[in-house]
């Protein structure tokens, strides 16, 4: 089998968006509607986007990054480089309710994301997607879940998923 072409989400998959957001706005600002308003305020905050800490490492080079951000793609690229992540293409969707599959289907074999919404939307659209285990997605069942960003675990989960999806 050829190497999987893996698309990686950034925020809360590789970079600690929620932790830094919570430091900035506090626990009371953790509702989706409030996050959306505050992210709009942050869109031009170069320091915020370029300094998100790395929360996980990959043992592979992704095909691309796919993110839902409204900030400058330059900030995203600078953050990737600063954290020592592979410099790969960035596919950026500006609409939070959009389906990442519309942007990357056919360009990758599988998406890794921390968002249940993004994973389920992609799977329904025919793009295999795996959910990286994070504290904020524990409520969702075990399906499509991985626990590390190790290539072999992703490959095993992808093969298992392909039997049923």
């Amino acid at each position: 089998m050829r190497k999987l072409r893996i698309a990686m989400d950034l925020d809360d998959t590789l970079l600690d968006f929620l932790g830094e957001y919570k430091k900035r706005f506090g626990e009371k600002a953790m509702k989706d509607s409030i996050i959306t308003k505050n992210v709009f305020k942050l869109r031009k905050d170069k320091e915020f986007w370029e300094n998100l800490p790395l929360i996980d490492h990959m043992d592979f080079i992704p095909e691309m990054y796919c993110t839902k951000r409204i900030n400058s793609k330059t900030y995203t690229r600078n953050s990737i480089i600063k954290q020592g992540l592979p410099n790969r293409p960035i596919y950026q969707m500006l609409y939070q309710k959009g389906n990442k599959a519309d942007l990357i289907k056919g360009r990758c074999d599988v998406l890794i994301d921390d968002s249940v919404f993004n994973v389920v939307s992609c799977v329904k659209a025919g793009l295999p997607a795996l959910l990286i285990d994070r504290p904020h997605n524990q409520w969702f069942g075990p399906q499509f879940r991985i626990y590390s960003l190790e290539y072999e675990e992703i490959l095993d989960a992808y093969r298992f998923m392909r039997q049923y999806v």
Side-chain angles (χ1 to χ4, degrees):
M1 177 181 194
R2 66 172 169 70
K3 281 271 198 195
L4 280 179
R5 297 174 303 157
I6 301 171
M8 292 296 301
D9 174 52
L10 290 169
D11 296 329
D12 300 311
T13 297
L14 289 169
L15 303 171
D16 188 12
F17 168 80
L18 283 175
E20 294 302 301
Y21 171 88
K22 206 181 293 185
K23 284 180 191 174
R24 176 79 61 98
F25 295 103
E27 192 70 42
K28 291 182 179 180
M30 294 306 292
K31 288 184 182 175
D32 284 346
S33 61
I34 297 172
I35 291 172
T36 299
K37 288 177 187 172
N38 286 334
V39 165
F40 188 75
K41 293 176 189 173
L42 286 171
R43 75 189 182 285
K44 294 186 180 194
D45 188 336
K46 181 179 182 199
E47 290 298 309
F48 179 85
W49 295 107
E50 289 188 1
N51 291 298
L52 294 175
L54 187 66
I55 57 171
D56 214 339
H57 296 275
M58 306 171 282
D59 68 353
F60 58 91
I61 296 174
E63 185 72 15
M64 68 190 67
Y65 300 102
C66 186
T67 186
K68 290 181 176 178
R69 288 183 169 189
I70 59 172
N71 62 286
S72 166
K73 201 182 276 191
T74 302
Y75 300 169
T76 301
R77 170 90 46 225
N78 291 345
S79 178
I80 287 167
I81 292 166
K82 181 177 185 174
Q83 292 301 336
L85 296 169
N87 189 1
R88 304 298 297 151
I90 300 166
Y91 289 82
Q92 187 168 321
M93 178 170 274
L94 301 177
Y95 178 56
Q96 282 300 310
K97 299 293 182 188
N99 189 341
K100 287 182 174 183
D102 296 338
L103 197 57
I104 61 173
K105 189 175 177 182
R107 294 182 165 105
C108 65
D109 300 311
V110 63
L111 169 69
I112 309 298
D113 206 305
D114 69 296
S115 164
V116 173
F117 174 82
N118 289 337
V119 168
V120 171
S121 297
C122 284
V123 170
K124 284 181 179 179
L127 174 64
L130 297 169
L131 184 70
I132 183 69
D133 188 65
R134 297 290 183 251
H136 59 271
N137 64 30
Q138 295 292 304
W139 59 270
F140 188 74
Q143 58 271 48
F144 315 127
R145 187 175 293 274
I146 57 173
Y147 297 91
S148 76
L149 295 177
E150 295 176 6
Y151 181 79
E152 288 303 317
E153 181 179 348
I154 294 167
L155 181 59
D156 288 346
Y158 173 81
R159 286 178 175 155
F160 182 77
M161 172 190 219
R162 297 302 289 164
Q163 295 175 42
Y164 300 99
V165 177

